[in-house]
Amino acid sequence: MCGIVGYTGFQEAYSVVVNGLKRLEYRGYDSAGVVLEVPESGFYIAKTKGKVADLVSISQSFEGKARIGMGHTRWATHGVPSDKNAHPHLSNNGKISIVHNGIIENYDTIKKILTDKGYTFGSETDTEVLVNFIQYFMDTDPALDFSEAVRYALNEVYGAYAIAVMHRDFHGELVVARLGSPLAIGLGEKEYFIASDASPFVEFTKEAIYLEEGHMATISLDKGVDIRTIKGNERITPAIQELKLSLEEIEKGGYEHFMLKEIFEQPKSIHDTLRGRVLVDEGIIKMAGIWDHLERFSKADRIIIIACGTSWHAGLTGEYLIEEYARIPVEVEYASEFRYRNPIITERDVVIAISQSGETADTMAAIKLAKEKGAFIYGICNVVDSSIARISDAGSYTHAGPEIGVASTKAFTAQLTILSLIALKLGKHNGNLGNAEFMKLISELETLPKKIEEVLETTHGSIKEMSKNFLEVSNFLYLGRGYNFPTALEGALKLKEISYIHAEGYPAAEMKHGPIALIDENMPIVIIAPQKGHYDKIVSNVQEIKARKGKVISVVNYADSRVSKMSDYTIEIPDSSECFSPILASVPLQLMAYYIAVYRGANVDQPRNLAKSVTVE
C-alpha cells in the first residue's frame, strides 16, 4: 500500500526514482508522482492519476536534470484518486515537498488552524496539511533548521506514517521519518537511497538501515545519515543490515506475471521453509522460536491466532492443526476486529500473529494490545526485520522469498507449513502425538515439495483449458469440510481478488442453510474432496448440487471413483494425510483463479483497489 522512493547521490536521480517506483507497483496504488530538486531552478514536479507508465509519459523531460529526487505511488485514503491528490505535495511557499504513506488522523484540526492563519489547500489530502504544517514552524521561527521543523510537526500529529521531505534551501538533503509504516535507507558509495522496502535499490547496494518506529533521519552527502528519535531528539546509532534480496528474485524470470511465477515457486518456497527444521533421520522438528518456549505454549490456557485476509485463512487451518495434534484450545480472530471489541486477554494466553509483509497495520495494532495485557506474542511473517518480527517475543520466518503479486500464493502455503510444524512440535512435546504418528507426519511433510511439483505438472494444462469456460460467470461457490473449509474460503478469495467474479466459500454442510438457494445450471461449485476426512458427507453434498443442475468442479485424489464421476470438471491431486491436503488443494485453485482472471483481461499482479501490504487501518 503506497510506495516511497528517494535518492541523493551522483547518479541521474529521475531514472533511479522511476525505476524504483516500478519495483513498488506490487504494493497497489492508483496514482503516481515524482519530484526533483534542480540546482538554481527549484522543484520539477509531475504527478498523475494512473500507473507509473502514465507518470513516465508526462515526465520524461526530467531525465538528466537532477541528482536528488523522490517518487510516490498512492493508494487513496483522503480524497479520491486524482492528479491533484497524487503525491508529491508542495507547501504554500513552494519550498518544501513531501511524499507520505499512512494517515494523519488529526489532520482536520491542524488544517483548520492553518486555514485560520491564511494557508490554502489545493487537495483533499492529509499529506498537504502536513507539509504546510512544517512550513508553519519554519515561518514561525526563521532560524529553525529544516529537520527540526519536521520533527516539531511530527510531534504534534498522530496516526501512522512514513514520510520523505525535501527543502529547496537545503540542497541535496532528504529528511525521512516513520511511525507504523516501513521505510528503508540504502547505503551506497557516495549515494543514499530511501524506499518503502529494499527492492528499489537492491542492484545498487547490499547495505540498508531499516528505520525504527518513532525515528527520523536526515540524509545528505556531506553529513551522511543522522538518525534521531522524533520525541526527545536523541541520537541513535543504527544497525546496518546486509540485504539477502537479489535482483533475480524480484524479476519475472520469463513468466507472464509475478503471480504465475510465485505459484510455480511453491515447491521451492515450502522446501526452504522446511529446510533445517524437519530432521527426519533424527526424528525431530527443530525451530528455535518454538524450541525455546515449549513450556509457554504447552501451559497456555489458549492460543489466539490473529491475522487478516489470506493469513486469516491460514490461521483457521492452524486452528484445526493445533487443536487436533497439540490439544490446546485455539481461537482465530480478524486482527481488524480484535482490538475494537475489548477482548479478554491474560498473561496465560499465547498470541500467534500471521502476516506476509510483517507490516499489516491491523495486525500490529492487535499485537500491541495483546502485549499490553501480558500475552506472549509469536510472529509468523515472510519479511526479515519487519515490524511484526521485531515486536514479537519469538517467531518464525516462512522463507517464501519476495512475493510481488498482490494476491498471496506461496506465502500462504508457507504459512500453512509453519503452522503444521508448530502443531506437530507441540503435539510431540506434550505427549498428545505418539512417536509413530509423529514420524509418519514429518516424513510426509518432507515430501510435500515433490507432491506440489507433481500437482503443477499434471494440472497446469488442463486448468488453463478448463478456465476458458467460466469467463462470463457472475458467481462461484467453494465448498469444503474439516481442514478444507478454510481452503474453500481461500480459493474463493483468490478468484474474487483478481478476476472480480463474486465468489463465496462455505463449509459444505452449511450449503443447505442458505447457499443451496443460489444453485442452478449457471452456478459453478468448487468441491474440495480428498478421500481422507469427511468424504462420504462430501459425496452427499455433490449429489444435492447435481440434483439442482449445478456445475461441479471437484478437487479429488487420484484414486477417486465417486465424486469425479459426478463432476463436470475434475482436478486430481496426490493422496496425503488430511492435515496436509489444504497445501496441495490450494495450488490448483490458485491456478484456476489466475487463468480465469487472465482470460477476462484483468491485471492479476495489481488487482484494482487492493494493496499488498495494508499499512493503514
Side-chain angles (χ1 to χ4, degrees), residues 583-596:
I583 297 175
L584 297 174
S586 295
V587 175
L589 299 184
Q590 294 166 358
L591 281 172
M592 187 174 75
Y594 170 80
Y595 278 110
I596 291 173

mmCIF file with all atom_site columns, all heavy atoms in Angstrom, residues 583-596:
data_model
loop_
_atom_site.group_PDB
_atom_site.id
_atom_site.type_symbol
_atom_site.label_atom_id
_atom_site.label_alt_id
_atom_site.label_comp_id
_atom_site.label_asym_id
_atom_site.label_entity_id
_atom_site.label_seq_id
_atom_site.pdbx_PDB_ins_code
_atom_site.Cartn_x
_atom_site.Cartn_y
_atom_site.Cartn_z
_atom_site.occupancy
_atom_site.B_iso_or_equiv
_atom_site.pdbx_formal_charge
_atom_site.auth_seq_id
_atom_site.auth_comp_id
_atom_site.auth_asym_id
_atom_site.auth_atom_id
_atom_site.pdbx_PDB_model_num
ATOM 1   N N   . ILE A 1 583 ? -2.653  -27.679 1.700   1.00 0.00 ? 583 ILE A N   1
ATOM 2   C CA  . ILE A 1 583 ? -1.482  -27.186 0.969   1.00 0.00 ? 583 ILE A CA  1
ATOM 3   C C   . ILE A 1 583 ? -1.544  -27.644 -0.477  1.00 0.00 ? 583 ILE A C   1
ATOM 4   O O   . ILE A 1 583 ? -1.323  -26.857 -1.414  1.00 0.00 ? 583 ILE A O   1
ATOM 5   C CB  . ILE A 1 583 ? -0.184  -27.652 1.651   1.00 0.00 ? 583 ILE A CB  1
ATOM 6   C CG1 . ILE A 1 583 ? -0.087  -27.062 3.058   1.00 0.00 ? 583 ILE A CG1 1
ATOM 7   C CG2 . ILE A 1 583 ? 1.040   -27.265 0.818   1.00 0.00 ? 583 ILE A CG2 1
ATOM 8   C CD1 . ILE A 1 583 ? 1.100   -27.547 3.865   1.00 0.00 ? 583 ILE A CD1 1
ATOM 9   N N   . LEU A 1 584 ? -1.882  -28.917 -0.685  1.00 0.00 ? 584 LEU A N   1
ATOM 10  C CA  . LEU A 1 584 ? -1.935  -29.463 -2.039  1.00 0.00 ? 584 LEU A CA  1
ATOM 11  C C   . LEU A 1 584 ? -3.145  -28.932 -2.804  1.00 0.00 ? 584 LEU A C   1
ATOM 12  O O   . LEU A 1 584 ? -3.046  -28.612 -3.996  1.00 0.00 ? 584 LEU A O   1
ATOM 13  C CB  . LEU A 1 584 ? -1.981  -30.988 -1.986  1.00 0.00 ? 584 LEU A CB  1
ATOM 14  C CG  . LEU A 1 584 ? -0.760  -31.679 -1.366  1.00 0.00 ? 584 LEU A CG  1
ATOM 15  C CD1 . LEU A 1 584 ? -1.000  -33.174 -1.235  1.00 0.00 ? 584 LEU A CD1 1
ATOM 16  C CD2 . LEU A 1 584 ? 0.489   -31.415 -2.196  1.00 0.00 ? 584 LEU A CD2 1
ATOM 17  N N   . ALA A 1 585 ? -4.301  -28.828 -2.133  1.00 0.00 ? 585 ALA A N   1
ATOM 18  C CA  . ALA A 1 585 ? -5.517  -28.409 -2.826  1.00 0.00 ? 585 ALA A CA  1
ATOM 19  C C   . ALA A 1 585 ? -5.495  -26.935 -3.194  1.00 0.00 ? 585 ALA A C   1
ATOM 20  O O   . ALA A 1 585 ? -6.131  -26.517 -4.166  1.00 0.00 ? 585 ALA A O   1
ATOM 21  C CB  . ALA A 1 585 ? -6.733  -28.710 -1.955  1.00 0.00 ? 585 ALA A CB  1
ATOM 22  N N   . SER A 1 586 ? -4.757  -26.112 -2.442  1.00 0.00 ? 586 SER A N   1
ATOM 23  C CA  . SER A 1 586 ? -4.721  -24.672 -2.713  1.00 0.00 ? 586 SER A CA  1
ATOM 24  C C   . SER A 1 586 ? -4.063  -24.351 -4.050  1.00 0.00 ? 586 SER A C   1
ATOM 25  O O   . SER A 1 586 ? -4.434  -23.379 -4.713  1.00 0.00 ? 586 SER A O   1
ATOM 26  C CB  . SER A 1 586 ? -3.970  -23.947 -1.595  1.00 0.00 ? 586 SER A CB  1
ATOM 27  O OG  . SER A 1 586 ? -4.648  -24.050 -0.373  1.00 0.00 ? 586 SER A OG  1
ATOM 28  N N   . VAL A 1 587 ? -3.087  -25.157 -4.440  1.00 0.00 ? 587 VAL A N   1
ATOM 29  C CA  . VAL A 1 587 ? -2.292  -24.845 -5.636  1.00 0.00 ? 587 VAL A CA  1
ATOM 30  C C   . VAL A 1 587 ? -3.147  -24.832 -6.904  1.00 0.00 ? 587 VAL A C   1
ATOM 31  O O   . VAL A 1 587 ? -3.116  -23.849 -7.662  1.00 0.00 ? 587 VAL A O   1
ATOM 32  C CB  . VAL A 1 587 ? -1.089  -25.799 -5.754  1.00 0.00 ? 587 VAL A CB  1
ATOM 33  C CG1 . VAL A 1 587 ? -0.330  -25.565 -7.054  1.00 0.00 ? 587 VAL A CG1 1
ATOM 34  C CG2 . VAL A 1 587 ? -0.167  -25.635 -4.551  1.00 0.00 ? 587 VAL A CG2 1
ATOM 35  N N   . PRO A 1 588 ? -3.946  -25.876 -7.202  1.00 0.00 ? 588 PRO A N   1
ATOM 36  C CA  . PRO A 1 588 ? -4.780  -25.797 -8.412  1.00 0.00 ? 588 PRO A CA  1
ATOM 37  C C   . PRO A 1 588 ? -5.846  -24.704 -8.338  1.00 0.00 ? 588 PRO A C   1
ATOM 38  O O   . PRO A 1 588 ? -6.234  -24.148 -9.366  1.00 0.00 ? 588 PRO A O   1
ATOM 39  C CB  . PRO A 1 588 ? -5.409  -27.202 -8.507  1.00 0.00 ? 588 PRO A CB  1
ATOM 40  C CG  . PRO A 1 588 ? -5.272  -27.807 -7.158  1.00 0.00 ? 588 PRO A CG  1
ATOM 41  C CD  . PRO A 1 588 ? -4.034  -27.214 -6.565  1.00 0.00 ? 588 PRO A CD  1
ATOM 42  N N   . LEU A 1 589 ? -6.318  -24.382 -7.136  1.00 0.00 ? 589 LEU A N   1
ATOM 43  C CA  . LEU A 1 589 ? -7.291  -23.290 -7.020  1.00 0.00 ? 589 LEU A CA  1
ATOM 44  C C   . LEU A 1 589 ? -6.642  -21.947 -7.345  1.00 0.00 ? 589 LEU A C   1
ATOM 45  O O   . LEU A 1 589 ? -7.284  -21.059 -7.923  1.00 0.00 ? 589 LEU A O   1
ATOM 46  C CB  . LEU A 1 589 ? -7.889  -23.270 -5.617  1.00 0.00 ? 589 LEU A CB  1
ATOM 47  C CG  . LEU A 1 589 ? -8.652  -24.529 -5.179  1.00 0.00 ? 589 LEU A CG  1
ATOM 48  C CD1 . LEU A 1 589 ? -9.281  -24.327 -3.809  1.00 0.00 ? 589 LEU A CD1 1
ATOM 49  C CD2 . LEU A 1 589 ? -9.699  -24.925 -6.212  1.00 0.00 ? 589 LEU A CD2 1
ATOM 50  N N   . GLN A 1 590 ? -5.375  -21.793 -6.986  1.00 0.00 ? 590 GLN A N   1
ATOM 51  C CA  . GLN A 1 590 ? -4.634  -20.589 -7.381  1.00 0.00 ? 590 GLN A CA  1
ATOM 52  C C   . GLN A 1 590 ? -4.513  -20.513 -8.899  1.00 0.00 ? 590 GLN A C   1
ATOM 53  O O   . GLN A 1 590 ? -4.722  -19.445 -9.503  1.00 0.00 ? 590 GLN A O   1
ATOM 54  C CB  . GLN A 1 590 ? -3.247  -20.602 -6.739  1.00 0.00 ? 590 GLN A CB  1
ATOM 55  C CG  . GLN A 1 590 ? -3.240  -20.491 -5.232  1.00 0.00 ? 590 GLN A CG  1
ATOM 56  C CD  . GLN A 1 590 ? -1.891  -20.838 -4.622  1.00 0.00 ? 590 GLN A CD  1
ATOM 57  O OE1 . GLN A 1 590 ? -0.950  -21.211 -5.335  1.00 0.00 ? 590 GLN A OE1 1
ATOM 58  N NE2 . GLN A 1 590 ? -1.776  -20.725 -3.303  1.00 0.00 ? 590 GLN A NE2 1
ATOM 59  N N   . LEU A 1 591 ? -4.173  -21.634 -9.511  1.00 0.00 ? 591 LEU A N   1
ATOM 60  C CA  . LEU A 1 591 ? -4.037  -21.661 -10.973 1.00 0.00 ? 591 LEU A CA  1
ATOM 61  C C   . LEU A 1 591 ? -5.356  -21.325 -11.664 1.00 0.00 ? 591 LEU A C   1
ATOM 62  O O   . LEU A 1 591 ? -5.387  -20.580 -12.650 1.00 0.00 ? 591 LEU A O   1
ATOM 63  C CB  . LEU A 1 591 ? -3.552  -23.037 -11.426 1.00 0.00 ? 591 LEU A CB  1
ATOM 64  C CG  . LEU A 1 591 ? -2.066  -23.339 -11.287 1.00 0.00 ? 591 LEU A CG  1
ATOM 65  C CD1 . LEU A 1 591 ? -1.799  -24.815 -11.591 1.00 0.00 ? 591 LEU A CD1 1
ATOM 66  C CD2 . LEU A 1 591 ? -1.229  -22.455 -12.200 1.00 0.00 ? 591 LEU A CD2 1
ATOM 67  N N   . MET A 1 592 ? -6.446  -21.878 -11.146 1.00 0.00 ? 592 MET A N   1
ATOM 68  C CA  . MET A 1 592 ? -7.748  -21.624 -11.773 1.00 0.00 ? 592 MET A CA  1
ATOM 69  C C   . MET A 1 592 ? -8.114  -20.145 -11.663 1.00 0.00 ? 592 MET A C   1
ATOM 70  O O   . MET A 1 592 ? -8.562  -19.530 -12.643 1.00 0.00 ? 592 MET A O   1
ATOM 71  C CB  . MET A 1 592 ? -8.825  -22.489 -11.123 1.00 0.00 ? 592 MET A CB  1
ATOM 72  C CG  . MET A 1 592 ? -10.167 -22.401 -11.839 1.00 0.00 ? 592 MET A CG  1
ATOM 73  S SD  . MET A 1 592 ? -11.397 -23.553 -11.200 1.00 0.00 ? 592 MET A SD  1
ATOM 74  C CE  . MET A 1 592 ? -11.835 -22.726 -9.666  1.00 0.00 ? 592 MET A CE  1
ATOM 75  N N   . ALA A 1 593 ? -7.917  -19.552 -10.497 1.00 0.00 ? 593 ALA A N   1
ATOM 76  C CA  . ALA A 1 593 ? -8.200  -18.124 -10.340 1.00 0.00 ? 593 ALA A CA  1
ATOM 77  C C   . ALA A 1 593 ? -7.333  -17.305 -11.293 1.00 0.00 ? 593 ALA A C   1
ATOM 78  O O   . ALA A 1 593 ? -7.811  -16.353 -11.931 1.00 0.00 ? 593 ALA A O   1
ATOM 79  C CB  . ALA A 1 593 ? -7.949  -17.714 -8.897  1.00 0.00 ? 593 ALA A CB  1
ATOM 80  N N   . TYR A 1 594 ? -6.062  -17.681 -11.394 1.00 0.00 ? 594 TYR A N   1
ATOM 81  C CA  . TYR A 1 594 ? -5.133  -16.948 -12.249 1.00 0.00 ? 594 TYR A CA  1
ATOM 82  C C   . TYR A 1 594 ? -5.607  -16.969 -13.707 1.00 0.00 ? 594 TYR A C   1
ATOM 83  O O   . TYR A 1 594 ? -5.698  -15.905 -14.356 1.00 0.00 ? 594 TYR A O   1
ATOM 84  C CB  . TYR A 1 594 ? -3.729  -17.559 -12.144 1.00 0.00 ? 594 TYR A CB  1
ATOM 85  C CG  . TYR A 1 594 ? -2.768  -17.026 -13.173 1.00 0.00 ? 594 TYR A CG  1
ATOM 86  C CD1 . TYR A 1 594 ? -2.144  -15.799 -13.005 1.00 0.00 ? 594 TYR A CD1 1
ATOM 87  C CD2 . TYR A 1 594 ? -2.506  -17.731 -14.350 1.00 0.00 ? 594 TYR A CD2 1
ATOM 88  C CE1 . TYR A 1 594 ? -1.286  -15.292 -13.960 1.00 0.00 ? 594 TYR A CE1 1
ATOM 89  C CE2 . TYR A 1 594 ? -1.641  -17.233 -15.308 1.00 0.00 ? 594 TYR A CE2 1
ATOM 90  C CZ  . TYR A 1 594 ? -1.033  -16.013 -15.113 1.00 0.00 ? 594 TYR A CZ  1
ATOM 91  O OH  . TYR A 1 594 ? -0.188  -15.512 -16.070 1.00 0.00 ? 594 TYR A OH  1
ATOM 92  N N   . TYR A 1 595 ? -5.916  -18.145 -14.236 1.00 0.00 ? 595 TYR A N   1
ATOM 93  C CA  . TYR A 1 595 ? -6.251  -18.221 -15.659 1.00 0.00 ? 595 TYR A CA  1
ATOM 94  C C   . TYR A 1 595 ? -7.610  -17.612 -15.969 1.00 0.00 ? 595 TYR A C   1
ATOM 95  O O   . TYR A 1 595 ? -7.793  -16.985 -17.028 1.00 0.00 ? 595 TYR A O   1
ATOM 96  C CB  . TYR A 1 595 ? -6.148  -19.665 -16.159 1.00 0.00 ? 595 TYR A CB  1
ATOM 97  C CG  . TYR A 1 595 ? -4.709  -20.010 -16.491 1.00 0.00 ? 595 TYR A CG  1
ATOM 98  C CD1 . TYR A 1 595 ? -3.993  -20.904 -15.711 1.00 0.00 ? 595 TYR A CD1 1
ATOM 99  C CD2 . TYR A 1 595 ? -4.061  -19.386 -17.552 1.00 0.00 ? 595 TYR A CD2 1
ATOM 100 C CE1 . TYR A 1 595 ? -2.667  -21.182 -15.999 1.00 0.00 ? 595 TYR A CE1 1
ATOM 101 C CE2 . TYR A 1 595 ? -2.737  -19.658 -17.846 1.00 0.00 ? 595 TYR A CE2 1
ATOM 102 C CZ  . TYR A 1 595 ? -2.046  -20.557 -17.064 1.00 0.00 ? 595 TYR A CZ  1
ATOM 103 O OH  . TYR A 1 595 ? -0.725  -20.818 -17.353 1.00 0.00 ? 595 TYR A OH  1
ATOM 104 N N   . ILE A 1 596 ? -8.586  -17.751 -15.080 1.00 0.00 ? 596 ILE A N   1
ATOM 105 C CA  . ILE A 1 596 ? -9.862  -17.080 -15.311 1.00 0.00 ? 596 ILE A CA  1
ATOM 106 C C   . ILE A 1 596 ? -9.645  -15.570 -15.376 1.00 0.00 ? 596 ILE A C   1
ATOM 107 O O   . ILE A 1 596 ? -10.179 -14.880 -16.248 1.00 0.00 ? 596 ILE A O   1
ATOM 108 C CB  . ILE A 1 596 ? -10.879 -17.449 -14.211 1.00 0.00 ? 596 ILE A CB  1
ATOM 109 C CG1 . ILE A 1 596 ? -11.284 -18.924 -14.341 1.00 0.00 ? 596 ILE A CG1 1
ATOM 110 C CG2 . ILE A 1 596 ? -12.114 -16.559 -14.306 1.00 0.00 ? 596 ILE A CG2 1
ATOM 111 C CD1 . ILE A 1 596 ? -12.162 -19.425 -13.202 1.00 0.00 ? 596 ILE A CD1 1
#
